[in-house]
Amino acid sequence: DLGLLNEFFRLKLPLSLSVLPRSSHTAEIAEIGRRKGYELMLHLPMEPKNFPRLDPGPGALFADMSPEEIRGIMASHLGQVRGARGVNNHMGSSFSERRDKMAVVLGELKKRGLFYVDSRTTKETVAFGMAREMGVPAARRSVFLDNDLSPKALKLQMERLLGLARVSGAGLGIGHPHPQTMEVLKGYLPVLHREFRVVHVADIVD
């Protein structure tokens, strides 16, 4: 949604834009974000549990794919999101539990000098631990901001994120392009500017 994207830009926060491949505005959003100085990531679709009831969308990685297929799909997606500095998973509750498959993904990221963010869509994810083992710069999601779009839930998740940042020094929140998410961020601008430093994901991976 290009109109909503411009609303997020008006927040003037150094957000990291994680862009889905093979969507109607993938290349356009990546180009606009890059031109405006936002950090870009590839939002890499992966096989979820309960597929096909849950559909990760076009270009997803599946556990029955060969290493060559996985690498080819990743290369195609990264070509659409030119300038991406890292990758995080879209869905992937099944794929991200597979060490053999995540080894292919992370190996490709290491070769390209990209970081990985584990969205933690399953408690059994191996992605973050494997990234550490393989020497791939990585971080993991602290909070999903907007699984519930009610104002009360959004505020609760923002407070959770800020609380984690206060205690541990950093927090990583994942939000989605919803008007409600944009509005809660707008409402928190004063406290963000007063008490925190909002940074790109690349600044907190290790």
Side-chain angles (χ1 to χ4, degrees):
D1 185 330
L2 293 172
L4 190 57
L5 179 68
N6 286 321
E7 291 297 312
F8 279 98
F9 287 156
R10 289 191 185 98
L11 297 172
K12 299 195 181 303
L13 292 173
L15 304 174
S16 298
L17 307 180
S18 193
V19 185
L20 276 167
R22 299 191 188 177
S23 66
S24 54
H25 297 297
T26 296
E28 190 175 1
I29 287 171
E31 174 61 30
I32 294 168
R34 185 170 52 252
R35 194 169 64 240
K36 289 181 175 289
Y38 286 83
E39 180 176 75
L40 294 176
M41 298 169 58
L42 168 65
H43 198 35
L44 181 59
M46 296 180 179
E47 179 181 356
K49 294 174 182 175
N50 300 317
F51 177 80
R53 186 175 61 82
L54 289 178
D55 182 4
L61 302 183
F62 288 90
D64 63 358
M65 289 178 171
S66 68
E68 291 73 22
E69 287 179 288
I70 291 170
R71 293 187 190 102
I73 289 170
M74 289 181 66
S76 173
H77 292 347
L78 287 165
Q80 293 177 37
V81 187
R82 291 190 305 107
R85 298 187 65 189
V87 168
N88 76 313
N89 55 293
H90 171 62
M91 296 193 179
S93 54
S94 179
F95 192 97
S96 64
E97 292 183 358
R98 291 283 298 269
R99 287 185 65 88
D100 55 341
K101 302 303 175 180
M102 286 307 306
V104 179
V105 171
L106 294 168
E108 192 66 14
L109 299 185
K110 184 172 184 177
K111 184 174 74 175
R112 294 170 178 267
L114 304 177
F115 64 76
Y116 186 78
V117 171
D118 188 349
S119 301
R120 294 174 60 209
T121 55
T122 169
K123 291 180 179 178
E124 305 302 320
T125 175
V126 299
F128 178 73
M130 284 192 68
R132 287 288 185 83
E133 292 169 16
M134 295 174 63
V136 177
R140 50 189 164 183
R141 183 265 308 164
S142 305
V143 171
F144 278 123
L145 295 175
D146 50 12
N147 281 348
D148 181 337
L149 289 172
S150 68
K152 182 178 180 180
L154 284 162
K155 182 176 180 181
L156 178 65
Q157 292 302 88
M158 277 297 296
E159 290 294 339
R160 280 189 64 208
L161 178 62
L162 300 184
L164 287 166
R166 288 187 181 100
V167 170
S168 64
L172 196 161
I174 293 180
H176 298 83
H178 301 302
Q180 297 94 325
T181 306
M182 191 271 298
E183 288 298 328
V184 77
L185 287 172
K186 186 187 294 183
Y188 271 85
L189 284 175
V191 69
L192 288 172
H193 289 312
R194 186 172 63 248
E195 299 182 35
F196 297 89
R197 185 163 64 95
V198 181
V199 298
H200 288 148
V201 177
D203 295 320
I204 60 172
V205 297
D206 58 19

